[in-house]
Amino acid sequence: MAELQEVQITEEKPLLPGQTPEAAKEAELAARILLDQGQTHSVETPYGSVTFTVCGTPKPKRPAIFTYHDVGLNYKSCFQPLFQFGDMQEIIQNFVRVHVDAPGMEEGAPVFPLGYQYPSLDQLADMIPCILQYLNFSTIIGVGVGAGAYILSRYALNHPDTVEGLVLINIDPNAKGWMDWAAHKLTGLTSSIPEMILGHLFSQEELSGNSELIQKYRNIITHAPNLENIELYWNSYNNRRDLNFERGSEITLKCPVMLVVGDQAPHEDAVVECNSKLDPTQTSFLKMADSGGQPQLTQPGKLTEAFKYFLQGMGYMASSCMTRLSRSRTASLTSAASIDGNRSRSRTLSQSSESGTLSSGPPGHTMEVSC
C-alpha cells in the first residue's frame, strides 16, 4: 500500500487573525476603491522628477490608457470631467489608467527656483519610458490635449512599438513660424500669462461669453500657486520643434489615431492640417460642434462614445453598447475593424449638435454620427 503523504490545504485568500468574512469583503472593497481613486508615484528621469497617478489594476494583454494634459492644467483639471463621466466607467473598468502631470504641474508642487531650466517638449516625451519601466507596462493608448498631444506624438515617433493608439485633442504639430512669434510677442505686451493661456485653451467666443466654465478655469489659472511653473511649461510649448509629419513618409504615426477638435476652436486649422499629413487608413478625424476649445470638458459624453468606437476599432470592447453614436449603413462595426487583429482602417467623423454628417475625407469606411 502506497505511503500516505500529508497535504497542506490553505485558503486562496486567507483571513487575517480574528477577521470575519464580512470584514474581509469590506477591506477588499476599500482596496478596490483606493485603486480606482488612484495612487500617486514619482520617478526620477534624466530631465528631473515626474509625478503620475495610476488608477485601477493592470489587465492582462491590454495596454494602459496614458494621459497627458495641456498647458495651464494638470491631469485632474484636464481629464476628470471625462473620466468621471458615467458612460466612461465601462471603459475604465477594462483598462488601467496612468495620468501624468508635467513637472511642476501636480497639486502642491513647489515653485521651481529662479533660473531653472524646464524640459523641452521633446525631453518631456523622453521621460515617458522611465514611467513605463517603473510600472512594468509594455504598451499604451495615449490620450493627450494640446501640449500633451504633442508630447505623446513625439513619444510615438520615437517608440512606435509601445503605442497601440493615440487620441490627440487640439494637436498643433508645427513649430511656431516668424509670424506666429511676432504675434505672440505683441500679445505678450498687452496680455498677462493667464490670459494668453486661456486664449490657447478656449475660443474667443467662449472667453467673451464668460460662462461658469470659463470663470472656473480663469480662476484656476490666475490664482495658481505654481503660476511660475505654468509659465515655464508654456514657454516650452511655444518653443516646440516641428513634428515633420508627412503622409507616405517614414516620419508619421504608425498606430491608429483619432484627431479631435472643437468647431471654431483655437487649434482647428492646425488639427485639419495634421489630418492631411497622416495616413488616412489609420486616422479618424472628429470635429465636434458646440464643444468649444476643450471638448473633453464640454462634451464628455460625445467624446466617450467616440473613444469607445475607437477602442472597438482596435479590437477591444467588442460588446460595448453604443448609446449616442449610431453606425451608418456605409460602415458596420465589423467592416470598420475586424476583431481578429486586423487594425487597418480609415474613419472620418464630424459631429453637429443635432446629427453628424460625413465630411470630405479619404476613401475608405465612413460613419455617420447621431448625438
Side-chain angles (χ1 to χ4, degrees):
M1 185 175 180
E3 182 180 356
L4 295 177
Q5 295 182 348
E6 183 179 357
V7 178
Q8 185 177 8
I9 300 176
T10 60
E11 294 179 278
E12 182 179 355
K13 293 184 178 179
L15 299 176
L16 295 175
Q19 188 179 38
T20 65
E22 291 77 12
K25 287 182 179 179
E26 289 179 3
E28 185 177 352
L29 177 60
R32 189 179 300 116
I33 292 173
L34 180 63
L35 287 172
D36 288 340
Q37 290 177 340
Q39 294 180 318
T40 301
H41 308 264
S42 293
V43 63
E44 288 296 328
T45 78
Y47 306 104
S49 177
V50 62
T51 300
F52 52 94
T53 302
V54 182
C55 300
T57 55
K59 304 299 187 291
K61 299 182 179 179
R62 290 206 168 188
I65 293 176
F66 193 98
T67 73
Y68 216 118
H69 62 87
D70 202 354
V71 175
L73 309 173
N74 57 29
Y75 98 81
K76 288 185 178 180
S77 57
C78 188
F79 289 110
Q80 265 194 350
L82 176 64
F83 282 90
Q84 290 183 350
F85 188 76
D87 290 349
M88 178 61 79
Q89 304 315 301
E90 183 180 4
I91 294 177
I92 66 176
Q93 289 171 5
N94 287 277
F95 296 90
V96 63
R97 287 90 61 208
V98 181
H99 301 291
V100 180
D101 281 315
M105 303 303 126
E106 67 275 13
E107 290 184 345
V111 175
F112 290 122
L114 188 65
Y116 176 79
Q117 184 62 47
Y118 197 82
S120 67
L121 294 197
D122 290 6
Q123 291 170 335
L124 292 176
D126 288 339
M127 291 180 170
I128 294 177
C130 299
I131 299 174
L132 299 183
Q133 183 179 10
Y134 177 89
L135 296 171
N136 196 28
F137 290 171
S138 56
T139 59
I140 64 170
I141 296 172
V143 182
V145 181
Y150 179 103
I151 291 165
L152 290 175
S153 297
R154 176 65 72 186
Y155 172 76
L157 289 175
N158 296 337
H159 304 273
D161 294 339
T162 66
V163 182
E164 293 197 23
L166 288 172
V167 177
L168 305 176
I169 303 171
N170 297 337
I171 185 171
D172 187 345
N174 303 316
K176 280 186 174 292
W178 288 110
M179 294 296 292
D180 297 318
W181 267 113
H184 178 73
K185 291 297 183 183
L186 287 173
T187 303
L189 295 175
T190 58
S191 301
S192 65
I193 293 297
E195 288 301 319
M196 292 171 68
I197 292 174
L198 285 166
H200 161 80
L201 295 174
F202 300 101
S203 68
Q204 287 303 312
E205 182 179 355
E206 289 176 287
L207 294 174
S208 299
N210 200 30
S211 65
E212 287 187 13
L213 179 72
I214 298 301
Q215 292 177 38
K216 173 184 175 181
Y217 280 84
R218 177 177 279 116
N219 183 65
I220 288 174
I221 297 171
T222 302
H223 298 101
N226 61 337
L227 184 57
E228 292 90 340
N229 297 356
I230 294 174
E231 184 175 357
L232 294 175
Y233 188 21
W234 173 240
N235 291 338
S236 288
Y237 176 71
N238 287 315
N239 284 290
R240 66 189 179 278
R241 294 192 303 143
D242 200 314
L243 287 174
N244 291 315
F245 289 149
E246 195 64 44
R247 181 172 292 181
S249 74
E250 284 300 311
I251 305 177
T252 191
L253 297 174
K254 296 179 171 60
C255 63
V257 178
M258 182 167 74
L259 299 175
V260 182
V261 70
D263 193 19
Q264 304 300 318
H267 307 286
E268 181 181 359
D269 291 343
V271 179
V272 170
E273 181 182 351
C274 182
N275 182 54
S276 71
K277 294 181 177 181
L278 296 179
D279 182 354
T281 67
Q282 292 279 69
T283 306
S284 306
F285 178 40
L286 183 63
K287 182 189 285 187
M288 299 178 65
D290 304 321
S291 65
Q294 299 292 309
Q296 81 282 3
L297 301 180
T298 59
Q299 298 285 0
K302 293 180 182 180
L303 189 54
T304 295
E305 292 301 325
F307 191 26
K308 283 184 182 179
Y309 185 85
F310 181 69
L311 292 171
Q312 286 182 329
M314 297 174 62
Y316 298 112
M317 300 183 63
S319 61
S320 175
C321 177
M322 309 304 288
T323 58
R324 287 182 175 82
L325 300 185
S326 62
R327 297 183 298 263
S328 74
R329 302 178 196 176
T330 57
S332 68
L333 174 63
T334 53
S335 68
S338 58
I339 304 305
D340 62 4
N342 178 12
R343 297 180 178 178
S344 177
R345 66 207 152 273
S346 73
R347 300 175 304 280
T348 302
L349 309 179
S350 178
Q351 288 186 334
S352 69
S353 58
E354 296 181 354
S355 65
T357 57
L358 179 68
S359 63
S360 60
H365 300 297
T366 60
M367 188 179 80
E368 290 180 2
V369 181
S370 177
C371 302

